[in-house]
Amino acid sequence: MDIRIENISKTFGQHPAVNSVSLEIRSGELIALLGPSGSGKTTLLRLIAGLEHPTGGRIFFGDEDASRKSVQARNVGFVFQHYALFKHMSVADNIGFGLRVRPRAQRPSRREIRARAEELLDLVQLPGYGERFPAQLSGGQRQRVALARALAIEPRVLLLDEPFGALDAKVRKDLRRWLRELHDKTGHTTIFVTHDQEEAIELADRVVVLNKGVIEQVGTPDEIYDTPASPFVHQFIGEASSLPVTLSNGEVWLADRATGLRSEGNGEAILYFRPNHIEVVEGCSGCIAGVVVGSRRVADTRRVEIEIGAGRHRVEIDLPVGHPAGEGSRIAFRPTRWRLYLSGASENAAPRKVAVHA
Amino acid sequence: MSGTAVMRFRQPSVLPGFGIALGFTLVYLSGIVLIPLAAMILKSAGLGWAEFWRIVGDPRTLAAIRLSFGASLLAASINAVFGVLLAWVLVRYSFPRRRLADAMIDLPFALPTAVAGIALTTLYAPNGWIGQFLATLGLKVAYTPIGIVIALTFIGLPFVVRTVEPVLREFDREAEEAAATLGATRRQTVFRVILPSLLPAILTGYALALARSIGEYGSVIFIAGNIPYVSEITPLLIVIRLEEFNYAGATAIAAVMLAISFSMLLIINLIQAWSRRRFGHDG
Amino acid sequence: MTVENMLVPSAAGTAAPNRYEATSETRGVRIVLIAIAVLFLALFLLLPLAAVFMEAFRGGIQAYFAAITEPDALAAIRLTLTVAAIAVPCNLIFGVAAAWAIAKFEFKGKSLLTTLIDLPFSVSPVISGLVYVLLFGAQGYFGPWLSAHGIQIAFAVPGIVLATIFVTFPFVARELIPLMQEQGTGDEEAALSLGANGWQTFLFVTLPNIKWALLYGVLLCNARAMGEFGAVAVISGKIRGLTNTMPLHVEILYNEYAFSAAFAVASLLALLALVTLAIKTFLEWRFADGIAAAGRSH
């Protein structure tokens, strides 16, 4: 089932939670809605499910306008962060609930419902758990039951709201891999919400980055990571340092010193680069130089914090573990992959991208 | 604790005052509650089985017990229905004076029972505000068993509301949303998801209201009419026997009521233990 | 508050009908349910309360004041205040001692003790009076000995006090125990490690932590103590001017068809109930954290 979202908006009181968002999702895709808290990602998911009514815009499931339908009629599988299992029902009854509440004419027989529940328990790797109650299960098991319950109604789209948010790190990693396998097996169009960029990049076919109710970028994990479309995406995905720079005469200037980077355009801009995309240079004729103010070990590299120039801007770069630079020593480097965004007149105006060097 | 065979009575603590606090508690509890109750049980046991059953098996006693039970069951049932409705409205909806309404729920706890008794009697008497209206419908409330049910409904009103309210307030709204996404209509969600989850709380409130109603005296005697075999409740019969200096009769009936109270207490504890095991929270 | 937070269904999100759009009742259903609830409350709670005051003033203001200042009424008021002034402090001291032992220490038989403390709530008030008649009455276990020594307990003030203590027995303890259990022993241990002695620890650390729950328990205890009818009716002997408490005085007047006077005295008790409810609501609203058992049934 492909899904088309057209200019959807949702306002709570005066506060626009989702602001005229448009998005197309292809059938069978696994999509991540990624953003910080307050970005509107959960609201967007709830709008697709029909748990919220949009202030404006429309949502299509295939060719059918779903935004006119109630949540009951949309036939979506929704998995909640805190599972939302029915505590007074056994696992099997939870899974069969969606079938039992159907109108009599469409309701499968008791035996069929039972068999379907068993089947789904096998699918989520909890065979034999049908008679237990939610209180007797671990967090990871509960979330798998919640998923089985959502799948039982043969949903047209599977929606997951921070599905692993309440679980501890180890379980989260296992479930993530398992969800990917399950998706590949069942082929449901799946949309999940997360604030964890690592989760989004590892799991999704495409990632939708949201900020303040609007989409910043839609793309494959590679596109999002390698060619971020905005300063927000640059900083939100992976690690990034930024420096205010000036463009003139085809060069990038840091205060009155040349950085050795070349770019078109004129005026104030902000330079973004990742800590590992730099080269250390000896003798500075066109570089960024500063004093080491701190360092810490990050996996296989040493991450060094450097204070630069009179503006006392701090950036982070990665050095080999054995590099001799100590606190207080001077170091010069040059970004190898970087991006520039024009500052513009006002702080709030969206910075315009002027150069990409990958 | 290491695997010593001897279990300590008390686990060690640096806080002082355990001995004197527990000692005082036990002496006071024994003096005020346990010894008097034990004396009563002893007294009724002293009657001997034959005498005991002769008193309890007396038609007037049986009629009183039947009436107390029947009226209490009916009143508790009314309160179960309206208690859930009140809790629902108070927790889920906002309307003018909601806080005031919520505070008023406890009135039957705070209002002395004798005051409630004469007020209800005045309202439901044939010439009272409500009574005269009901009289035109041919319904007589005061001085009949219906009056007893009215008084017991008043007395038991807060129990179900106050046990259901906190559970409903903490009910997971996402579970309702989950039901909706699975295709359940609002009615199905309410009757299959929400109400079953409230069941332990409803049962607890029901049992508490029932226990209170069976022993209730002050609010009932004014409105009941107190006609033997018809509208004479058990606690009143105890008082009547006492006024006749028939201590044996009073004690035997009281022992039966005490047994009923203890059974109710046991049932309430069982409901809560079951609920804790099944749902992981209190009813 | 961020949007994200607003969307997480919170336990406190009760009075926000605009959220949970897909899972709330239609406006019509809401209105009908609210109407039924309000009607039920009006019929069962407001109307009886209104009746008390209406009937009390039926004979006019002067008759009202005459009824409540008449000697027997004053004697009843005095006795009720005396009984509460003895019973409430007794149960206050007991409640603190019991809560200290139960909440701050681990020992065998604790849950049994907690159940026994709650016992008087599940006993009929009539039985609460009866047990003391059986102990101290003329035919009771201690009756002959007491009368030989000229001590009167049953059908006298001491009996009324005992029965009142019995029926109000658990009020303070059951407010304190859950709160003190929740608070644990950390604060007290800290105070002791800083050199405070046991009494100082209780006075300066424990007491401030439990003061609102204590007040709450005392409030409910007092309301019940002043309003108790059944237990007191059995043990008092109902001697006018001597062993009549206010509720008993109401009954006597009512049975003598002195309705206005009965309701006049009753209105004082109703006023007590309203003041109790008002303070109780205020405490729950203002000091909810200091009252663990707020909103629980009793």
Side-chain angles (χ1 to χ4, degrees), chain B residues 48 137 153 156 174 202 258:
Chain B
L137 300 172
T153 305
E174 284 187 351
I202 297 172
L258 204 59

Side-chain angles (χ1 to χ4, degrees), chain A residues 35-302:
Chain A
S37 89
S39 61
K41 56 190 191 299
T42 294
T43 306
L44 182 57
L45 193 78
R46 290 168 60 88
L47 283 164
I48 298 169
L51 290 170
E52 310 278 358
H53 303 313
T55 320
R58 291 196 294 180
I59 296 170
F60 290 90
F61 285 9
D63 295 327
E64 174 194 300
D65 186 353
S67 35
R68 295 165 177 281
K69 289 185 147 188
S70 71
V71 54
Q72 285 88 353
R74 282 192 204 189
N75 195 27
V76 295
F78 201 105
V79 175
F80 293 84
Q81 179 177 2
H82 299 287
Y83 331 122
L85 293 177
F86 307 132
K87 292 191 184 71
H88 63 286
M89 290 184 202
S90 69
V91 165
D93 286 345
N94 262 283
I95 297 174
F97 181 84
L99 302 175
R100 280 202 315 278
V101 296
R102 283 186 183 171
R104 195 175 298 269
Q106 299 154 32
R107 192 186 311 155
S109 72
R110 257 169 204 282
R111 186 180 304 175
E112 284 164 341
I113 294 174
R114 187 81 220 172
R116 180 88 183 113
E118 301 285 343
E119 205 175 290
L120 283 160
L121 279 172
D122 285 343
L123 182 71
V124 300
Q125 296 166 0
L126 290 170
Y129 276 68
E131 296 312 314
R132 302 220 188 164
F133 281 83
Q136 300 167 314
L137 303 180
S138 72
Q141 290 171 331
R142 285 182 210 183
Q143 197 55 293
R144 282 188 275 166
V145 172
L147 191 63
R149 183 178 68 177
L151 290 171
I153 59 168
E154 284 156 23
R156 296 194 287 183
V157 50
L158 194 55
L159 306 171
L160 303 100
D161 183 10
E162 297 266 7
F164 314 123
L167 303 169
D168 58 43
K170 172 78 176 74
V171 180
R172 198 183 315 182
K173 260 201 155 65
D174 291 347
L175 265 184
R176 204 188 283 170
R177 191 175 316 118
W178 172 81
L179 179 69
R180 180 74 233 188
E181 285 167 15
L182 189 79
H183 174 262
D184 294 344
K185 205 188 299 179
T186 61
H188 279 103
T189 307
T190 304
I191 307 173
F192 73 98
V193 159
T194 182
H195 65 271
D196 180 350
Q197 40 122 348
E198 194 188 317
E199 190 169 289
I201 282 171
E202 187 182 318
L203 198 50
D205 295 327
R206 285 197 298 154
V207 178
V208 178
V209 184
L210 285 147
N211 183 35
K212 294 179 179 161
V214 295
I215 293 181
E216 293 272 344
Q217 187 172 6
V218 182
T220 63
D222 288 343
E223 287 166 356
I224 297 279
Y225 194 84
D226 294 333
T227 55
S230 68
F232 173 81
V233 178
H234 213 133
Q235 289 200 303
F236 192 68
I237 310 289
E239 316 229 5
S241 287
S242 63
L243 280 172
V245 293
T246 316
L247 308 183
S248 77
N249 297 331
E251 282 210 72
V252 180
W253 298 79
L254 181 63
D256 56 350
R257 299 182 60 163
T259 58
L261 308 176
R262 306 193 65 79
S263 172
E264 302 300 312
N266 280 299
E268 305 283 302
I270 301 196
L271 170 73
Y272 281 89
F273 59 92
R274 301 198 188 280
N276 54 330
H277 292 160
I278 57 109
E279 57 183 354
V280 177
V281 292
E282 299 291 334
C284 185
S285 58
C287 68
I288 301 171
V291 178
V292 176
V293 291
S295 87
R296 62 182 195 274
R297 176 71 181 251
V298 175
D300 274 345
T301 61
R302 197 144 70 89

Side-chain angles (χ1 to χ4, degrees), chain C residues 212-256:
Chain C
W212 297 118
L214 205 65
L215 184 59
Y216 191 85
V218 165
L219 185 76
L220 300 181
C221 184
N222 179 64
R224 180 70 192 267
M226 290 190 174
E228 178 51 30
F229 178 71
V232 176
V234 169
I235 193 131
S236 85
K238 298 178 193 169
I239 306 159
R240 270 206 172 189
L242 278 180
T243 63
N244 256 356
T245 62
M246 286 168 77
L248 296 178
H249 191 60
V250 169
E251 186 204 12
I252 288 179
L253 291 172
Y254 187 85
N255 286 343
E256 289 171 351

Side-chain angles (χ1 to χ4, degrees), chain A residues 300-321:
Chain A
D300 274 345
T301 61
R302 197 144 70 89
R303 182 148 303 164
V304 177
E305 197 176 356
I306 299 174
E307 199 170 86
I308 290 164
R312 302 188 143 242
H313 295 287
R314 290 191 174 193
V315 298
E316 289 187 331
I317 61 169
D318 284 353
L319 296 178
V321 173

